[in-house]
Amino acid sequence: MILALETSCDDTCAAVITRAGEIRSNVVSSQGIHDRYGGVVPEIASRHHLELVNAVVDTALDRAGTALDEIELVAVTQGPGLVGALLVGVATAKGLAAARRLPLAPVDHLQGHVAANYLAPDPIEPPFLCLLASGGHTLLARVTERGAHERLGGTLDDAAGEAFDKGARLLGLGYPGGPALSRLALEGDPQAFAFPTAARVGGLDFSFAGLKTALLYKVRELGEAEAGRRRADLAASYEHAIVESLILRVERALAVEPGARLAIGGGVAANARLRERAAALGVPVKIPPPELCTDNAAMIASAARWVQPVPFPGYLDLDAYPTAA
Ligand code: KG4
Ligand code: ZN
């Protein structure tokens, strides 16, 4: 069995899975304290990880009905992410592994989102195209083997999840904005406002900065009272633009790789509209259940199965790597 930790952002996560990719436990403790600041405060996130991590690991072992003695491999997110937050997971994983002379697998967070698609039941087999859309990243990749992905395109500015979060903030919704904005969007008309999808950005790259600005201008143009009345329409149209922008690039990628299958990962893949749109593309599509799309440690454990583990004591000086600026 594999025990994995994930602390790259504001969720403290631990999971136990089997080598075959069956989830025995998957614990996510959301800090829920960043809402009042409208985003994640790195220092606060690190401190909360420190307070929560041991209890989260214990809960994951308990729920899996196992103990450290039965764990053969410890895995941890090494990066990218908030470096102080990552360090809590890395230090904890080192301690757990070293105490039992276990090997340690350092896992790339994005590879983790891809590997959510390899968990049981019905894991996808490469090759496939993969859309990754989270709070920190948006990219299209070709996956030909399990431990790697080849980048085909990425965002030129904001990530898709960031666009959700910033739009939500403009509409006076809390953080994280994605779930709140899409709930509000259910009551609105996605065709009410025509927001840009950056279709002019050619190839497989994404851009969301113009969309965010378009929402800001629209809110100003409507005025506070009217924008307040039409919040649901604004949310629905904004969500529609993000989803269509993502789907447009996927369609472009599929056009040059006919017959390719598609997998989707990252927090934005929890979005119901995106899931519906992807399912209607006419190609086989694999999307993990929503709780495996947003940050979790089961996906990190899954990815660890294709990482060369570092034997004890080689990992004692292992470092986290932050998000590239
Ligand atoms: O993968 P993730 O949990 O963390 C990162 O690696 O960034 O993604 C978090 C992002 C946030 O921006 C959040 O607003 C977005 O995913 N998100 C959603 C939904 N659930 C989470 N966006 C749209 N619709 C959702 N249902
Ligand atoms: Zn993530």
Side-chain angles (χ1 to χ4, degrees):
M1 274 191 290
I2 305 171
L3 168 69
L5 278 74
E6 147 67 44
T7 63
S8 67
C9 193
D10 61 335
D11 294 321
T12 315
C13 317
V16 175
I17 77 165
T18 65
R19 286 258 170 215
E22 280 151 11
I23 300 176
R24 290 294 162 82
S25 65
N26 190 21
V27 181
V28 177
S29 176
S30 298
Q31 300 185 351
I33 29 141
H34 303 278
D35 188 0
R36 74 190 75 155
Y37 308 105
V40 176
V41 183
E43 182 54 32
I44 295 179
S46 314
R47 262 187 276 155
H48 275 256
H49 283 308
L50 208 51
E51 283 166 19
L52 295 168
V53 71
N54 290 323
V56 167
V57 168
D58 288 347
T59 308
L61 290 168
D62 275 359
R63 286 193 193 159
T66 188
L68 263 184
D69 302 338
E70 288 177 75
I71 301 296
E72 335 154 14
L73 175 66
V74 178
V76 65
T77 307
Q78 188 183 13
L82 302 170
V83 74
L86 288 162
L87 279 172
V88 176
V90 168
T92 307
K94 282 183 195 174
L96 289 166
R100 288 190 161 57
R101 306 287 193 262
L102 293 172
L104 184 87
V107 175
D108 178 83
H109 184 78
L110 293 184
Q111 203 51 47
H113 278 303
V114 177
N117 287 290
Y118 302 146
L119 287 161
D122 78 62
I124 190 172
E125 298 272 339
F128 56 89
L129 287 172
C130 188
L131 170 69
L132 285 186
S134 71
H137 302 270
T138 305
L139 69 102
L140 253 174
R142 185 189 292 117
V143 178
T144 48
E145 55 178 309
R146 288 194 135 143
H149 61 264
E150 176 199 342
R151 181 190 165 101
L152 301 175
T155 184
L156 302 176
D157 39 61
D158 295 345
E162 199 179 350
F164 268 107
D165 295 336
K166 288 177 175 173
R169 199 168 171 181
L170 262 167
L171 295 176
L173 302 165
Y175 177 88
L181 192 142
S182 54
R183 258 193 312 278
L184 179 61
L186 286 174
E187 299 152 32
D189 172 8
Q191 312 293 342
F193 302 100
F195 287 126
T197 57
R200 273 168 305 146
V201 174
L204 300 178
D205 285 331
F206 303 83
S207 170
F208 294 101
L211 170 62
K212 175 188 67 189
T213 311
L215 176 64
L216 175 67
Y217 287 166
K218 186 53 79 181
V219 167
R220 281 193 191 152
E221 181 194 314
L222 292 172
E224 205 174 314
E226 183 64 8
R229 267 193 296 279
R230 304 206 56 192
R231 245 163 45 118
D233 283 345
L234 287 164
S237 303
Y238 187 80
E239 176 182 57
H240 178 74
I242 296 177
V243 168
E244 290 313 311
S245 175
L246 293 170
I247 291 291
L248 175 65
R249 275 70 185 187
V250 169
E251 284 175 331
R252 284 179 185 166
L254 289 171
V256 293
E257 302 202 21
R261 290 166 306 145
L262 178 69
I264 308 188
V268 177
N271 183 271
R273 299 288 166 91
L274 177 62
R275 299 172 78 92
E276 276 167 30
R277 261 312 251 125
L281 279 172
V283 299
V285 178
K286 161 87 190 177
I287 316 177
E291 67 277 13
L292 294 176
C293 292
T294 47
D295 285 349
N296 66 86
M299 71 182 196
I300 301 302
S302 178
R305 294 178 292 160
W306 291 278
V307 167
Q308 185 67 46
V310 184
F312 176 84
Y315 48 79
L316 289 177
D317 57 359
L318 184 89
D319 231 334
Y321 54 87
T323 303

